[in-house]
């Protein structure tokens, strides 16, 4: 999470809290260290954000501080409700936590619907794989070294250029350019044998590769 986004999250958490929040509590919610929280809070205080408190005691937000409101009509709020609840189907736990944070932010400005529900049935989260790292690699155009078990249960090592993630109901699939095969391949997240490792960059190539993959994928439909 970028620092600016993290500081915005701190503001949101403190605005919605009914009691002081410790740095440890904030660090757990943001998946960072307490030291990072201390630095971010100090920076916010230096920018005159009305946060009071200290390390070891807890932080509170003085009343009266607000952010520009969001305005949604009823159907927009219902669409957001369903969309955020369906993220549970992806099996991506980090994405699910992000959806819950987003829902909390939106509900402060526009009440979300309590009449629309979505089943959480869907793809299983892959064991031992943090999909948030893969999503970050896609955004930052990082190559990944993977250990993969193919459909014949043969283990292979690949270097891939990850392009996107597709969340099917039955599985999570990672489209990528495979350097071993010199072609586009789809890798199932549940067949990754361990956490992929960054191994270089393909800066500036993702847009073109993604367009080529989309054309290639369309021919196969």
């Amino acid at each position: 999470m970028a620092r600016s986004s993290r500081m915005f999250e701190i503001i949101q958490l403190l605005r919605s809290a009914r009691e002081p929040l410790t740095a440890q509590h904030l660090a757990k919610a943001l998946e960072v260290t307490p030291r990072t929280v201390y630095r971010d809070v100090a920076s916010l205080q230096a920018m005159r954000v009305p946060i009071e408190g200290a390390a070891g005691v807890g932080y509170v937000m003085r009343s009266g501080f607000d952010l520009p409101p969001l305005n949604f009509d009823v159907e927009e709020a219902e669409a957001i409700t369903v969309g955020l609840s369906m993220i549970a189907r992806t099996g991506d736990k980090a994405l699910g936590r992000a959806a819950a944070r987003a829902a909390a932010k939106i509900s402060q400005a526009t009440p979300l619907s309590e009449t629309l529900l979505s089943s959480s049935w869907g793809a299983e989260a892959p064991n031992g794989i943090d999909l948030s790292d893969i999503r970050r690699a896609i955004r930052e155009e990082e190559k990944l070294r993977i250990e993969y078990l193919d459909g014949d249960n043969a283990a292979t090592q690949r270097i891939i250029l990850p392009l996107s993630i597709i969340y099917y109901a039955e599985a999570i699939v990672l489209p990528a350019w495979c350097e071993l095969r010199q072609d586009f391949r789809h890798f199932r997240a549940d067949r990754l044998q361990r956490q992929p490792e960054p191994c270089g960059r393909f800066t500036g190539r993702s847009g073109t590769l993604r367009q080529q993959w989309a054309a290639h994928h369309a021919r196969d439909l």
Side-chain angles (χ1 to χ4, degrees):
M1 183 186 295
R3 191 181 187 213
S4 58
S5 298
R6 191 173 62 242
M7 292 167 71
F8 181 80
E9 293 284 353
I10 290 173
I11 292 173
Q12 293 293 86
L13 288 168
L14 292 175
R15 286 180 66 231
S16 61
R18 298 187 178 184
E19 58 185 21
L21 298 181
T22 64
Q24 287 74 17
H25 178 99
L26 292 168
K28 183 177 181 181
L30 299 170
E31 300 180 339
V32 296
T33 65
R35 184 181 296 274
T36 297
V37 172
Y38 296 145
R39 289 198 300 264
D40 288 348
V41 169
S43 295
L44 288 168
Q45 290 171 329
M47 292 186 287
R48 300 182 182 274
V49 177
I51 298 174
E52 297 180 344
V57 177
Y59 298 104
V60 296
M61 177 80 72
R62 288 204 310 269
S63 60
F65 182 78
D66 209 350
L67 295 170
L70 296 173
N71 295 302
F72 299 107
D73 62 30
V74 172
E75 289 196 342
E76 289 171 342
E78 289 182 340
I80 293 168
T81 298
V82 174
L84 290 174
S85 65
M86 290 184 71
I87 289 176
R89 295 186 177 190
T90 66
D92 188 327
K93 293 181 179 178
L95 205 59
R97 292 192 293 271
R101 296 197 302 271
K105 291 177 186 177
I106 294 170
S107 65
Q108 291 179 7
T110 302
L112 297 183
S113 174
E114 297 180 355
T115 64
L116 302 177
L117 303 174
S118 174
S119 167
S120 61
W121 178 86
E124 292 289 335
N127 291 327
I129 304 298
D130 187 345
L131 291 169
S132 61
D133 283 348
I134 297 177
R135 287 189 274 107
R136 179 192 52 76
I138 293 170
R139 291 193 302 270
E140 298 182 4
E141 298 181 311
E142 283 187 339
K143 295 183 180 182
L144 295 175
R145 180 179 289 107
I146 64 172
E147 291 185 7
Y148 191 71
L149 202 64
D150 66 19
D152 297 323
N153 288 326
T156 62
Q157 291 191 354
R158 315 277 186 102
I159 293 178
I160 64 170
L161 283 57
L163 302 175
S164 63
I165 296 179
I166 303 176
Y167 295 97
Y168 293 107
E170 301 84 5
I172 300 169
V173 175
L174 177 64
W177 175 264
C178 176
E179 290 194 345
L180 176 65
R181 302 303 184 195
Q182 286 294 295
D183 201 356
F184 296 105
R185 290 289 187 271
H186 289 181
F187 300 94
R188 285 181 52 141
D190 58 353
R191 292 179 181 169
L192 295 172
Q193 298 303 289
R194 61 185 178 88
Q195 186 69 23
E197 299 177 352
C199 60
R201 294 190 176 273
F202 58 106
T203 304
R205 297 176 59 194
S206 62
T208 299
L209 285 171
R210 201 170 289 114
Q211 290 176 355
Q212 293 173 348
W213 167 79
H216 182 273
H217 186 57
R219 290 198 301 268
D220 294 337
L221 294 179

